[in-house]
Amino acid sequence: MTNWLPDLSRGSGPVYLRLADSIETAIASGALPAGSKLPPQRNLAYDIGVTIGTIGRAYALVHERGLVAGEVGRGTYVLDRAETAASNQPDPLTLSLGGTRTVDAPLGKIRFDTTAAPDLGQGKIIGQILGEIGQEHLSEISSYSRVFPKNWYDAGRSWLARNGWMPEAENIVPTLGAHAAAIAVISAVSSPGDKIVFENLTYTQVSRSARILGRRTITVESDENGVDPDDFERLCLQQHPKLAFLMPTAHNPTLATMPFERRQRVAEIARRHGVWLIEDDLYGGMTGDENPLLASLAPDRTFLISGLSKSVAAGIRGGWVACPPHFAQRIKVTHKMITGGLPFILAEACARLVESGQAHEIRRTCIAELSAREQLVREELHGFDFTSHPHVPFIWLKLPDPWLSGTFKNAAYREGVLIDDEDEFKAARAEKAYHRVRVSFSSPKKRDEMVAGLMTLRRLLESGGAGYDGEV
């Protein structure tokens, strides 16, 4: 084992990226020759004063670059330069934008890292609808969507309605899913350099996309009841954000649901400081939560988004946004600019699914399946600490000591299971460690495959991390 220590004083960016670059430089200079063993992650973390998760991300990155190899129980070794594959590896920018997931998910793994609606045969229904549209709208499906039919708006109005509140049809914009809706709103109501508030843990596909657009990310503290209104007000007073992206019901990944009083305060604070709100209700519509939507409390400044991906079908890219009055046209134009336009065949299929009642029926079937699967999770992971909801396709699992989030994710990967570590959901650099992972269970086609994956995770949880300290 080498006594090498990295020089992190050079370069810029996250510590894990500077560490990975330092390792690569040391390998190129011969300071870390072929065959030498990198320091164990725990030791190096202690020596340079960072978390073991930071070391794990750096080691994973140099592994992706083809510079090192790791073996269970042996550690991480520098490869001979002649043996390393030439530059087929993703560049650091690509990796930073992609989060902690692999760029291309490998085959043969049990996927507990996606929350798309379970496959319950709805493809046949969708295929039939697509066939009907093909017969009835030959010219429309072969050209650009220049005119949006009324039923597209009516479907969105119906799908977004909840708890006695329904948006007006003139405020609806059909979109290519909830993600595209959020990015269209961010692009339309903010400018490069503007600050966007995200919860400290969030759906980071949106926060990373916002950074690509040149927006700056700031984070608000949250707890088991969602956003902390006091911290939100502090940010508004000190940072003057333009917009906040929030998930008040069934928050991803913590499953927190914001109580009524907090929703009222957040709405009041946003109005007082002129902050726009994006309310992501993608999971909320599945829960039966009776709290009012932020859109009903602050309709003058809330953009409510949802879609079909989690409870009907992800592949048809169906979504809608309900806008504050007079904003729909701006969002519609912006959505077209950033996506290239809405395909007629997909938008019409989504509208027909909703208006026929089939989308609602598929959602009920999916919820029933998710409830059964959530019960299986409770049985297979009995005795471990996790948060779940019977209608939502993931759990937020607390790891027993000495497991760390990134290390556990890597160990699960080695055992054939893909999960998400906590860093995947951090909107910005943060020192706080939650020691949790998100385990999603909607993707496996069969329940026995799901149970097999859960048994693998349980075995790892019970092993206490033995043999994985040196893993990449």
Side-chain angles (χ1 to χ4, degrees), residues 70-126:
E71 297 180 23
V72 176
R74 294 190 64 235
T76 304
Y77 290 83
V78 176
L79 293 173
D80 190 316
R81 297 289 285 186
E83 298 175 359
T84 59
S87 64
N88 252 358
Q89 306 300 334
D91 62 275
L93 177 60
T94 300
L95 289 166
S96 69
L97 295 177
T100 65
R101 293 173 180 166
T102 54
V103 177
D104 297 301
L107 299 176
K109 305 281 187 182
I110 297 175
R111 297 208 61 177
F112 284 167
D113 65 339
T114 174
T115 57
D119 182 0
L120 302 176
Q122 60 267 55
K124 292 182 180 179
I125 297 172
I126 295 168

Side-chain angles (χ1 to χ4, degrees), residues 385-408:
D385 182 4
F386 60 86
T387 305
S388 69
H389 187 288
H391 299 170
V392 180
F394 60 85
I395 65 169
W396 187 228
L397 173 65
K398 179 76 171 179
L399 299 173
D401 188 68
W403 279 116
L404 297 163
S405 184
T407 311
F408 186 78

Side-chain angles (χ1 to χ4, degrees), residues 362-439:
I362 293 171
R363 177 161 65 178
R364 285 190 288 270
T365 303
C366 284
I367 287 174
E369 175 64 19
L370 293 175
S371 296
R373 294 189 179 202
E374 191 258 356
Q375 183 58 41
L376 284 174
V377 173
R378 289 188 169 277
E379 294 171 4
E380 296 299 328
L381 298 183
H382 177 72
F384 291 99
D385 182 4
F386 60 86
T387 305
S388 69
H389 187 288
H391 299 170
V392 180
F394 60 85
I395 65 169
W396 187 228
L397 173 65
K398 179 76 171 179
L399 299 173
D401 188 68
W403 279 116
L404 297 163
S405 184
T407 311
F408 186 78
K409 174 187 174 178
N410 291 333
Y413 179 91
R414 294 290 184 185
E415 296 296 319
V417 180
L418 300 179
I419 60 173
D420 285 313
D421 62 3
E422 63 188 44
D423 284 350
E424 174 62 27
F425 303 98
K426 290 180 178 178
R429 289 179 59 185
E431 295 302 320
K432 183 176 181 180
Y434 299 86
H435 305 305
R436 287 182 180 266
V437 293
R438 193 191 75 170
V439 180

Side-chain angles (χ1 to χ4, degrees), residues 173 175 179-192 194 196 209-210 213 215 242-243 276 278 303 321 323-324 326-338:
V173 178
T175 64
H179 177 93
I183 302 309
V185 173
I186 291 172
S187 302
V189 304
S190 67
S191 301
D194 283 343
I196 313 296
S209 297
L213 295 172
R215 277 58 170 177
K242 193 64 175 285
L243 183 147
W276 299 104
I278 296 178
F303 295 86
V321 52
C323 306
H326 315 299
F327 270 90
Q329 187 63 21
R330 184 195 296 189
I331 302 303
K332 181 179 178 182
V333 171
T334 306
H335 178 268
K336 180 179 179 181
M337 293 300 100
I338 65 173

Side-chain angles (χ1 to χ4, degrees), residues 210-421:
R211 289 198 294 273
I212 292 175
L213 295 172
R215 277 58 170 177
R216 291 184 287 173
T217 296
I218 57 177
T219 57
V220 62
E221 291 296 326
S222 302
D223 58 23
E224 66 277 6
N225 291 313
V227 169
D228 179 348
D230 291 333
D231 196 52
F232 182 49
E233 179 137 45
R234 178 190 63 81
L235 284 176
C236 291
L237 285 167
Q238 297 178 0
Q239 302 281 345
H240 309 294
K242 193 64 175 285
L243 183 147
F245 176 85
L246 306 176
M247 290 176 279
T249 303
H251 174 272
N252 180 19
T254 68
L255 288 160
T257 290
M258 199 184 302
F260 174 63
E261 294 76 12
R262 285 202 182 190
R263 294 175 192 236
Q264 279 187 313
R265 285 198 61 197
V266 167
E268 291 166 1
I269 293 166
R271 184 177 290 112
R272 189 162 60 249
H273 294 279
V275 177
W276 299 104
L277 300 175
I278 296 178
E279 180 176 14
D280 182 344
D281 198 45
L282 199 53
Y283 297 103
M286 302 165 65
T287 63
D289 175 43
E290 296 181 354
N291 284 296
L293 294 163
L294 287 176
S296 68
L297 297 173
D300 57 318
R301 58 185 47 261
T302 303
F303 295 86
L304 175 68
I305 64 174
S306 190
L308 304 180
S309 62
K310 309 304 180 186
S311 58
V312 179
I316 53 175
R317 310 306 302 150
W320 296 270
V321 52
C323 306
H326 315 299
F327 270 90
Q329 187 63 21
R330 184 195 296 189
I331 302 303
K332 181 179 178 182
V333 171
T334 306
H335 178 268
K336 180 179 179 181
M337 293 300 100
I338 65 173
T339 65
L342 191 61
F344 180 94
I345 194 166
L346 294 183
E348 178 67 15
C350 293
R352 292 191 183 194
L353 276 168
V354 173
E355 291 213 294
S356 67
Q358 290 172 301
H360 296 279
E361 182 57 36
I362 293 171
R363 177 161 65 178
R364 285 190 288 270
T365 303
C366 284
I367 287 174
E369 175 64 19
L370 293 175
S371 296
R373 294 189 179 202
E374 191 258 356
Q375 183 58 41
L376 284 174
V377 173
R378 289 188 169 277
E379 294 171 4
E380 296 299 328
L381 298 183
H382 177 72
F384 291 99
D385 182 4
F386 60 86
T387 305
S388 69
H389 187 288
H391 299 170
V392 180
F394 60 85
I395 65 169
W396 187 228
L397 173 65
K398 179 76 171 179
L399 299 173
D401 188 68
W403 279 116
L404 297 163
S405 184
T407 311
F408 186 78
K409 174 187 174 178
N410 291 333
Y413 179 91
R414 294 290 184 185
E415 296 296 319
V417 180
L418 300 179
I419 60 173
D420 285 313
D421 62 3

Side-chain angles (χ1 to χ4, degrees), residues 151-185:
N151 64 311
W152 293 9
Y153 301 99
D154 292 338
R157 186 169 183 248
S158 170
W159 193 253
L160 294 174
R162 199 152 72 79
N163 295 345
W165 182 84
M166 178 178 283
E168 298 297 330
E170 61 264 27
N171 295 330
I172 298 294
V173 178
T175 64
L176 272 169
H179 177 93
I183 302 309
V185 173

